[in-house]
Amino acid sequence: MRWVTFDCFGTLVDWRHGIWTSADLVAPGHGRRLLDAYGKHEREVQAESPGLRYREVLAESLRRACAEEKVPLAPDDASVLATTLPYWPVFPDVGDELTALREDGWRLALLTNCDRDLIGETQRRLPVRFDAVVTAEDAGAYKPSHAHFDTFSRSYEPERWVHVAQSYTHDLVPAHQLGISRVWINRLGEHPEDPSVLQAVRPDLRGLADVVATSA
């Protein structure tokens, strides 16, 4: 039972593009500025309300980002991120690299902070089938809580397990704390707070199958 688990948004789906362009629909010209403010508020909302549905996290985080940046937001427009999320673009390296993993005999899973209904819509756009999905609803918490990882481990009892993700804070840190092999997809060229958290590091998914083979 060899598994590669993935975070979805930021790793497989271009989360930043989705936030920016969607915010720009309801606040034209302010999308990039709101993207910069949004990430901090999302972490705060998830920490404050771990039982809140992700579509409500999206809405509340956008409201706070708009308030901070003094950008007007009509009440009905706060739902724009949840509405557009199923259409956010998949990174172009996803199809070939995940196909290579499956051809090498790995099972694939998503560990996502998303809702079941939203990730279900997103999966229709992903070019490769996933064998398992653990959502925030399933785990009862948001990463960087260990709940996603614990839920997956109990449910599937992986013999070999590599976690692949873009988010250092949400994914790499808890995987390190739990002793899970991990690959950081550093799409943003970030610098880690604690280099000991890292194992393999890639700028994108290209060549992932070879990296995973030596990481587990």
Side-chain angles (χ1 to χ4, degrees):
M1 296 291 287
R2 300 187 303 148
W3 287 87
V4 183
T5 55
F6 290 86
D7 176 55
C8 185
F9 296 97
T11 306
L12 307 179
V13 173
D14 194 339
W15 179 89
R16 290 177 59 83
H17 182 277
I19 297 286
W20 167 26
T21 56
S22 299
D24 219 41
L25 291 173
V26 297
H30 299 291
R32 188 178 291 276
R33 184 154 57 98
L34 291 172
L35 167 64
D36 292 338
Y38 176 90
K40 173 188 69 175
H41 291 295
E42 184 183 80
R43 290 190 294 272
E44 291 174 349
V45 173
Q46 289 173 337
E48 293 168 5
S49 305
L52 196 66
R53 291 284 299 277
Y54 188 61
R55 61 177 57 252
E56 293 302 327
V57 170
L58 290 165
E60 178 59 20
S61 302
L62 181 60
R63 291 187 195 102
R64 294 187 186 188
C66 286
E68 178 182 319
E69 295 297 321
K70 298 180 172 53
V71 173
L73 180 70
D76 289 349
D77 286 344
S79 63
V80 66
L81 301 182
T83 300
T84 60
L85 182 145
Y87 305 98
W88 293 358
V90 176
F91 285 111
D93 52 12
V94 170
D96 288 346
E97 300 308 323
L98 269 62
T99 297
L101 285 170
R102 186 169 288 288
E103 289 175 348
D104 284 350
W106 292 91
R107 296 190 177 195
L108 308 179
L110 294 172
L111 308 186
T112 176
N113 276 347
C114 201
D115 292 338
R116 294 184 194 123
D117 59 340
L118 291 178
I119 197 63
E121 292 292 323
T122 296
Q123 282 182 267
R124 297 192 307 168
R125 301 178 64 81
L126 294 174
V128 174
R129 177 181 59 83
F130 283 82
D131 301 290
V133 180
V134 177
T135 68
E137 287 179 88
D138 301 319
Y142 287 102
K143 294 179 290 181
S145 163
H146 292 177
H148 282 75
F149 301 93
D150 292 341
T151 299
F152 177 78
S153 181
R154 287 195 305 269
S155 299
Y156 298 100
E157 299 181 346
E159 296 173 7
R160 296 177 67 189
W161 180 5
V162 181
H163 186 59
V164 179
Q166 180 272 323
S167 177
Y168 173 90
T169 301
H170 286 85
D171 290 88
L172 271 294
V173 170
H176 168 66
Q177 292 168 342
L178 293 167
I180 300 166
S181 297
R182 53 209 174 273
V183 180
W184 189 23
I185 306 302
N186 189 12
R187 293 190 183 275
L188 305 180
E190 298 174 294
H191 299 285
E193 297 175 15
D194 179 2
S196 70
V197 169
L198 306 181
Q199 287 182 316
V201 182
R202 302 289 301 169
D204 51 41
L205 293 183
R206 288 176 293 181
L208 180 63
D210 290 337
V211 176
V212 164
T214 59
S215 297

